[in-house]
Amino acid sequence: MKVSLNCLKQYVDINIPTNDFLDKMVMLGLEIEECVDLSEKMKNVVVGRVEKMERHPDSDHLWICQVNVGKETIQIVTGAQNVFEGALVPVALHDSLLPNGTKIKRGKLRGVESNGMLCSGEELTVDDSVYPGAEVNGILILTNGEAIGTDMRSVIGFDDVIVDFKATANRPDCLSLNGIAREAAVALGQKVTYPSSEYTTAGGSIENMLSVEVKAPDLCRRYMARAVRNVRIAPSPEWVRKTLNASGIRAINNIVDITNLVMLEFGQPMHAFDYRDIGGAHICVRRAEEGEKLTTLDGKEHVLNAETLVIADSERAIGLAGIMGGENSEIKDDTTTVVFESANFKRDNIRRTARALGIRTESSARFERGIDIQTAQMALDRAVALVCQLGAGEVVNDTINVQASPYEERVVTVDSRRVNALLGLDVPIRTMLSILNGLEIKTTEQDGVLTCRIPHYRDDIEGTADIAEEILRVYGYDNIHPTEMKAVLKPGMKTPGVLLKENASAALASLGFNEAVTYSFIPKKAFDLLCLEEDSDLRRAVEIMNPLGEDYSVMRTTMAHNMLTVLALNINRKNPSGRFFAVENVYLPKQLPPTEQPLEKPIACLGAYGEGEDFFTMKGAIEDFALKMGIHAQLKFEAGGRPYLHDGRRAVISVNKMKIGLIGEVHPDVAANYQITGRAYLAELDLEAAAAAADHAFAVKPLPKYPAVKRDIAVTVDKEVPVGELIDQIRAGGKEILERCELFDVYEGAQVLIGKKSAAFALTFRASDRTLTDDEVAAAFDRIVRALDRNCGAKLR
């Protein structure tokens, strides 16, 4: 909020240098955006009177003027045609500076000496709102009887310092001159002199003129109105215009200026209606009808919805509540009766409406921050007091006050010992009382307990911590002395769950997969896209009460939807191939509707598509991942899985008879639902189950000293028998001397019987303490053949 120090001095005696004063305000917690000394923008410009004028001998449009500037009479040549003898005008003397940056020196115009310049309103950067007549085409003619030689800075308000205070989010009361003055008084140890709100009435009653109805009490906590008759519309006096202009508000006329001045003084936006434009002499505060239209004071038409709060008469909307009045009820030059409005509107509704309509006003900015309910009465009293003070009309008796609930004073009780404990100081109780009462928080003390009556404008004070903060910011942050920390700090550690996810991510990244980060929310339709059965346990999902949208309405129970969405996106972006992983949680409710937090289970989901990717490359990646995660036991891949995987190309992954995940090719119907062209592959691993199966113990053994013996074996077996079972039997038969077993061929065709397949393995035998004999190798080979025949029905080819 921009504040004129000249205005602030009407409230508080600022008896120290400006910079020292601003330092004190900053130490109280007020931010300062900018400080501008207007007097530096204009120098050596005074009020002068034109004593004599004569035509320039070499020009038919220039005048030679003799101008009295107080100490002397100087000669100035001007081309302005509105100057006349006896006129009071702004005079830029030799070596002067104008607000627009122009520097004036003495010189000659067509051979005639000119010792300065007569100034227009434009050259002084002022308009009619600052000084009447400033916008005329020509020299600014001064009409207020200013004394000759007076510094023009005092005439147009440039003898001032403008400070732009930034009110923090918890201090909306500082968006007012009263609020800033209260802080200044505390900083300087003084009392505040508030503007007078005394007024006289001229009879009658507003109750006989107007009725008010609030149909939306949830959005309007209080609505007040007063009437003024026999209104005389005129320009506001100089002090009002200067106050408004210093805060960046253009003066318009006395009635409108009163509402704006009260807003600056109290932070309470107000509005004035032309009484004759209020249809049916009835004001209704209601929600707008869907599609209702209103043209605001800026001439723009707005289409409203049912969430917009409006001020209406018996026929139409006449104002946007808390934002801007309507063009259909504005104050006009011939207005004779005015209704002042002072109300309290719900902050979040004003914020939503202002953003939706693209309107940002001084009024909406204050309502969005929050205004206390009591200020409405104080502002209304000040407004009618100004009417009397400015002679703008006659105040009608009585006030209309529609209020949802009465105001209740808040009382906060705190222990002074607790306050000192929070601050780490030893502030005397007497000092606490002095500070709090100086802040207009009426406080008494008994046995060390402070009873604080909170002012109506301080909604941010709720408990001990807030009272402690108020005391400290006045007592002084520089009184806090550092103390050494005595606690023994332990280094922070990551939880096992975090480490598990990080290790899994690092392992998958090392295998050539790219990490994808997805939302934890999925749409309900995802379960249909995945072709899940109606009774599938995955459909039992927690619904979001306030979702961002339909696409984020439930908590996911599977990572498949998220990964398929990632694959589809990359395919749509013409990426020919891709390998992706996501290590994130799924959310499994213990019951529905949920009465407690769902189970959060960490899952590693892998997805791949494109050239070189198939079921077996994905299977190999899972096996490598398992090794990196410390799983040394053999993984089992058995037929089965979820319906979003291909019936004949899917498997359940287990280790030591414990299920840890799924793998398979995406079912063609599901792929089509996600607009995935070509084959895609998916795997999901339960990280907690995988971690439980891990064995991180390892042994170190020296390089072998003795030679290896290599043998190949090929067997025929039923097609349904997994190769993994054959490998298990080979390892069991080879016992400790079988060092390695590698599958190198699987064949189905003319050389084997129908329903059979041929599997060939390369076997490596080695002993760590001796060279194996042919008999030892033959015995092991024979055991392998018998084990394959007995347990798998495999015959040696």
Side-chain angles (χ1 to χ4, degrees):
M1 175 181 174
K2 292 183 178 180
V3 175
S4 157
L5 288 193
N6 283 347
C7 295
L8 197 58
K9 288 175 183 177
Q10 304 301 314
Y11 293 77
V12 181
D13 180 18
I14 302 176
N15 52 11
I16 60 176
T18 298
N19 287 339
D20 294 343
F21 168 67
L22 296 182
D23 287 342
K24 287 180 175 291
M25 296 294 279
V26 169
M27 292 305 296
L28 278 180
L30 287 177
E31 297 181 34
I32 296 178
E33 294 281 339
E34 187 181 28
C35 178
V36 178
D37 187 349
L38 297 181
S39 65
E40 297 295 325
K41 293 187 174 185
M42 184 169 72
K43 295 181 180 179
N44 215 16
V45 182
V46 300
V47 176
R49 183 173 63 205
V50 180
E51 301 288 0
K52 183 179 179 181
M53 296 175 61
E54 60 183 19
R55 286 288 185 183
H56 192 290
D58 294 329
S59 173
D60 57 359
H61 72 281
L62 294 178
W63 291 92
I64 301 173
C65 302
Q66 304 301 319
V67 183
N68 183 354
V69 294
K71 295 180 179 180
E72 60 180 329
T73 298
I74 61 175
Q75 179 173 291
I76 294 177
V77 178
T78 180
Q81 302 303 306
N82 66 326
V83 180
F84 54 90
E85 291 183 355
L88 292 176
V89 293
V91 182
L93 303 176
H94 168 66
D95 199 22
S96 60
L97 174 67
L98 299 183
N100 61 8
T102 303
K103 295 181 179 180
I104 304 301
K105 302 283 186 181
R106 66 168 60 97
K108 291 185 178 181
L109 285 178
R110 295 196 179 183
V112 177
E113 184 177 1
S114 181
N115 295 303
M117 185 180 79
L118 307 185
C119 302
S120 66
E122 181 179 4
E123 288 162 336
L124 298 179
T125 67
V126 297
D127 54 24
D128 286 348
S129 67
V130 178
Y131 198 101
E135 296 180 24
V136 300
N137 183 20
I139 301 303
L140 170 59
I141 305 299
L142 304 176
T143 57
N144 292 336
E146 289 83 0
I148 297 173
T150 301
D151 193 327
M152 275 298 298
R153 290 181 292 194
S154 64
V155 175
I156 61 175
F158 272 47
D159 58 338
D160 202 355
V161 176
I162 306 300
V163 182
D164 191 355
F165 290 99
K166 180 181 179 182
T168 55
N170 65 322
R171 294 298 305 276
D173 59 299
C174 288
L175 287 174
S176 66
L177 285 170
N178 285 355
I180 298 296
R182 282 190 289 265
E183 297 295 304
V186 171
L188 299 171
Q190 299 181 9
K191 296 291 185 181
V192 181
T193 302
Y194 293 109
S196 172
S197 292
E198 295 183 1
Y199 60 91
T200 58
T201 58
S205 175
I206 190 175
E207 300 283 356
N208 299 326
M209 299 172 56
L210 184 72
S211 62
V212 174
E213 177 185 16
V214 177
K215 287 187 176 181
D218 57 322
L219 303 182
C220 177
R221 296 192 300 165
R222 190 177 195 183
Y223 191 93
M224 304 185 70
R226 293 212 65 157
V228 177
R229 65 191 182 193
N230 296 327
V231 171
R232 294 173 287 278
I233 302 297
S236 295
E238 180 182 5
W239 71 270
V240 174
R241 296 197 308 271
K242 283 185 176 180
T243 302
L244 295 177
N245 277 286
S247 295
I249 298 176
R250 180 183 173 89
I252 298 175
N253 58 53
N254 49 4
I255 296 298
V256 176
D257 292 350
I258 284 172
T259 63
N260 287 329
L261 180 60
V262 170
M263 179 182 67
L264 290 179
E265 290 179 339
F266 289 84
Q268 170 70 50
M270 293 185 62
H271 187 65
F273 297 102
D274 190 326
Y275 174 70
R276 63 188 172 183
D277 292 329
I278 302 176
H282 176 73
I283 285 180
C284 178
V285 185
R286 60 172 173 82
R287 287 177 168 84
E289 297 176 4
E290 198 68 39
E292 187 173 2
K293 296 181 179 180
L294 174 66
T295 301
T296 47
L297 288 171
D298 56 3
K300 297 180 181 179
E301 183 179 73
H302 302 279
V303 179
L304 314 179
N305 59 39
E307 291 301 315
T308 305
L309 187 67
V310 297
I311 311 301
D313 58 19
S314 58
E315 304 166 359
R316 72 230 160 129
I318 57 176
L320 288 174
I323 300 176
M324 189 180 292
E327 192 177 60
N328 51 20
S329 60
E330 67 177 329
I331 302 301
K332 296 170 278 293
D333 291 342
D334 60 348
T335 296
T336 57
T337 304
V338 166
V339 172
F340 282 121
E341 164 196 284
S342 183
N344 187 278
F345 303 115
K346 191 175 181 182
R347 69 176 76 178
D348 54 347
N349 178 265
I350 301 301
R351 183 184 300 113
R352 286 196 301 269
T353 300
R355 290 183 179 179
L357 298 179
I359 305 176
R360 178 74 174 180
T361 63
E362 292 285 344
S363 175
S364 67
R366 285 167 170 78
F367 275 118
E368 287 176 17
R369 291 289 193 93
I371 300 174
D372 71 276
I373 198 169
Q374 290 295 94
T375 305
Q377 175 73 63
M378 301 168 65
L380 198 57
D381 290 343
R382 172 61 174 163
V384 294
L386 284 168
V387 168
C388 296
Q389 181 179 342
L390 303 184
E394 300 173 353
V395 180
V396 177
N397 286 344
D398 304 326
T399 302
I400 293 177
N401 180 23
V402 180
Q403 190 169 344
S405 58
Y407 168 75
E408 295 182 3
E409 183 183 47
R410 290 178 297 117
V411 178
V412 174
T413 302
V414 300
D415 191 321
S416 60
R417 292 177 290 271
R418 174 60 179 158
V419 170
N420 276 327
L422 281 175
L423 300 180
L425 298 172
D426 188 17
V427 182
I429 292 179
R430 181 174 297 179
T431 303
M432 291 185 183
L433 291 172
S434 175
I435 289 173
L436 292 173
N437 284 296
L439 289 168
E440 299 188 8
I441 302 173
K442 297 179 180 178
T443 306
T444 57
E445 179 267 337
Q446 185 174 1
D447 298 329
V449 177
L450 306 178
T451 300
C452 308
R453 300 185 178 278
I454 309 303
H456 59 88
Y457 51 81
R458 291 301 303 273
D459 283 344
D460 60 308
I461 299 178
E462 298 179 348
T464 300
D466 300 314
I467 294 295
E469 181 184 7
E470 293 299 302
I471 292 172
L472 180 58
R473 71 188 184 92
V474 179
Y475 187 69
Y477 295 102
D478 52 343
N479 287 313
I480 299 177
H481 301 292
T483 56
E484 292 185 5
M485 186 175 292
K486 297 180 180 179
V488 178
L489 298 180
K490 296 182 179 180
M493 297 180 65
K494 295 179 180 178
T495 64
V498 171
L499 288 173
L500 177 62
K501 287 185 174 181
E502 288 186 353
N503 292 339
S505 296
L508 290 169
S510 70
L511 295 172
F513 287 81
N514 298 298
E515 185 170 11
V517 179
T518 62
Y519 285 110
S520 299
F521 318 122
I522 61 174
K524 286 184 179 180
K525 66 179 181 180
F527 303 127
D528 294 328
L529 296 175
L530 293 172
C531 297
L532 294 176
E533 303 92 340
E534 289 299 324
D535 60 347
S536 172
D537 58 321
L538 296 183
R539 288 184 179 270
R540 299 182 68 253
V542 177
E543 295 190 18
I544 306 300
M545 293 179 63
N546 54 340
L548 298 174
E550 176 57 31
D551 288 344
Y552 307 97
S553 57
V554 299
M555 303 293 289
R556 66 183 171 208
T557 56
T558 173
M559 291 288 297
H561 171 76
N562 301 86
M563 184 54 66
L564 291 174
T565 302
V566 171
L567 298 183
L569 175 64
N570 281 271
I571 291 171
N572 185 54
R573 297 287 173 85
K574 307 302 181 185
N575 291 325
S577 62
R579 291 184 132 199
F580 302 94
F581 78 90
V583 176
E584 296 172 343
N585 289 343
V586 296
Y587 303 87
L588 308 177
K590 298 175 183 179
Q591 64 181 45
L592 290 177
T595 57
E596 56 183 314
Q597 293 292 331
L599 175 64
E600 299 184 21
K601 185 179 287 292
I603 299 292
C605 186
L606 288 69
Y609 71 92
E611 185 178 354
E613 300 294 346
D614 58 22
F615 179 91
F616 295 103
T617 59
M618 183 67 80
K619 177 176 177 289
I622 294 297
E623 291 173 333
D624 289 343
F625 173 70
L627 286 174
K628 289 179 179 292
M629 295 298 290
I631 301 175
H632 300 103
Q634 182 70 32
L635 297 184
K636 294 283 188 180
F637 294 85
E638 299 175 313
R642 296 289 187 180
Y644 47 80
L645 299 177
H646 198 294
D647 295 345
R649 299 166 189 165
R650 65 185 183 188
V652 176
I653 309 170
S654 61
V655 57
N656 297 330
K657 298 183 179 181
M658 179 172 61
K659 177 182 174 181
I660 64 170
L662 304 170
I663 183 175
E665 180 182 324
V666 178
H667 194 284
D669 292 343
V670 176
N673 289 340
Y674 286 90
Q675 299 181 351
I676 294 176
T677 57
R679 295 186 176 186
Y681 303 90
L682 200 67
E684 292 179 275
L685 295 172
D686 183 338
L687 288 181
E688 290 180 341
D695 177 14
H696 294 286
F698 60 92
V700 177
K701 58 183 180 180
L703 293 173
K705 297 180 180 179
Y706 302 98
V709 178
K710 296 184 179 291
R711 295 284 189 272
D712 290 344
I713 182 173
V715 296
T716 58
V717 69
D718 291 342
K719 290 172 57 175
E720 292 76 14
V721 177
V723 171
E725 291 188 12
L726 300 179
I727 293 175
D728 289 344
Q729 296 304 319
I730 292 173
R731 290 185 182 280
K735 295 186 177 180
E736 69 278 358
I737 66 171
L738 179 64
E739 184 179 75
R740 182 178 301 170
C741 172
E742 294 181 345
L743 174 72
F744 67 84
D745 182 56
V746 176
Y747 172 75
E748 295 179 33
Q751 303 300 320
V752 297
L753 297 176
I754 297 175
K756 300 287 185 177
K757 64 182 176 183
S758 171
F761 303 89
L763 308 180
T764 302
F765 298 93
R766 191 197 309 265
S768 61
D769 58 349
R770 67 189 185 281
T771 300
L772 292 175
T773 65
D774 289 341
D775 291 341
E776 288 178 302
V777 175
F781 193 87
D782 188 50
R783 288 196 302 270
I784 291 171
V785 172
R786 290 198 304 270
L788 289 172
D789 185 15
R790 180 174 60 252
N791 298 318
C792 298
K795 304 297 181 181
L796 189 65
R797 287 188 65 187

